[in-house]
C-alpha cells in the first residue's frame, strides 16, 4: 500500500510540474501538499514518491520520446495532462527500475487512471505501456 500511495503522490507531483511549472525541489519537499495529508503518508510512501518524481524529471526527454514513439494515431501535444503524468511515472520504472515487474507497473497505472483519468484513459494508458514494456523485453 505504501508504494501505491507513493505512485499517486508522484502522479500528482508530475501533473503539478507539467501544468503548474512547480520546480523539482518544491515537488520533492512536498510543499504543495497539506501538512495533515502529508503526515498520513508515511516515510516509505514519501521516499518512493521522491524516487519516482526525481527519476522521471531527470529522464523526462527519454521518457517523453518513448511515449511519442508508442502513440498510435495520436499527437503527443494533444495528450490529456492527467494521462501524460500517469504515463511518465510509469514509463520511468519500465525503463530504469528493472527490479519492479512490468505487470505491477502497468496494473498500478491502470488503477490510477481509473481513479483520476477520464472514462477511457485506462485503455489508452494500458496500450501505450504494454507497447513500451514489450520493446524493453526484446
Amino acid at each position: 500500500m505504501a508504494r501505491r500511495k507513493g505512485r499517486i503522490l508522484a502522479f500528482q507531483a508530475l501533473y503539478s510540474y507539467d501544468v503548474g511549472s512547480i520546480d523539482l525541489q518544491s515537488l520533492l519537499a512536498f510543499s504543495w501538499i497539506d501538512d495533515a495529508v502529508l503526515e498520513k503518508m508515511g516515510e516509505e510512501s514519501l521516499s518512493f514518491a521522491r524516487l519516482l518524481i526525481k527519476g522521471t524529471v531527470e529522464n523526462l526527454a527519454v521518457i517523453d520520446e518513448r511515449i511519442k514513439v508508442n502513440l498510435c494515431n495520436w499527437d503527443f501535444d494533444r495528450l490529456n495532462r492527467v494521462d501524460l503524468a500517469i504515463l511518465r511515472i510509469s514509463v520511468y520504472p519500465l525503463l530504469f527500475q528493472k527490479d519492479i515487474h512490468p505487470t505491477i507497473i502497468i496494473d498500478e497505472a491502470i488503477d490510477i487512471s481509473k481513479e483520476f483519468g477520464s472514462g477511457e484513459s485506462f485503455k489508452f494508458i494500458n496500450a501505450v505501456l504494454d507497447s513500451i514494456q514489450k520493446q524493453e523485453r526484446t
Side-chain angles (χ1 to χ4, degrees):
M1 189 58 133
R3 286 193 168 205
R4 173 62 171 269
K5 288 180 182 178
R7 280 186 182 90
I8 291 171
L9 192 56
F11 147 69
Q12 293 170 333
L14 263 287
Y15 179 83
S16 298
Y17 179 81
D18 193 34
V19 299
S21 301
I22 297 176
D23 66 278
L24 180 59
Q25 288 312 110
S26 296
L27 291 176
L28 296 174
F30 302 114
S31 58
W32 47 278
I33 298 177
D34 184 62
D35 288 338
V37 172
L38 202 56
E39 284 180 26
K40 294 178 184 176
M41 291 300 292
E43 191 53 44
E44 187 179 345
S45 296
L46 296 175
S47 294
F48 188 63
R50 282 187 187 100
L51 175 73
L52 288 176
I53 295 164
K54 189 173 188 304
T56 301
V57 170
E58 288 176 350
N59 294 284
L60 202 55
V62 172
I63 291 166
D64 283 355
E65 186 57 35
R66 288 302 288 274
I67 293 169
K68 288 175 189 175
V69 168
N70 288 279
L71 292 176
C72 295
N73 303 318
W74 200 259
D75 182 17
F76 181 84
D77 295 325
R78 291 186 58 223
L79 281 177
N80 174 303
R81 294 301 161 201
V82 169
D83 293 348
L84 180 58
I86 295 168
L87 284 169
R88 284 174 167 167
I89 63 126
S90 302
V91 172
Y92 169 71
L94 285 175
L95 300 180
F96 300 104
Q97 292 182 307
K98 300 298 185 180
D99 59 319
I100 303 174
H101 198 278
T103 305
I104 294 169
I105 296 165
I106 294 170
D107 286 349
E108 288 288 332
I110 290 168
D111 287 346
I112 292 169
S113 69
K114 285 179 179 178
E115 186 173 346
F116 295 97
S118 65
E120 299 295 311
S121 290
F122 73 96
K123 293 177 185 176
F124 172 74
I125 287 170
N126 182 46
V128 174
L129 295 177
D130 188 53
S131 178
I132 291 170
Q133 73 93 16
K134 285 178 180 171
Q135 294 169 356
E136 284 299 297
R137 287 192 296 172
T138 58

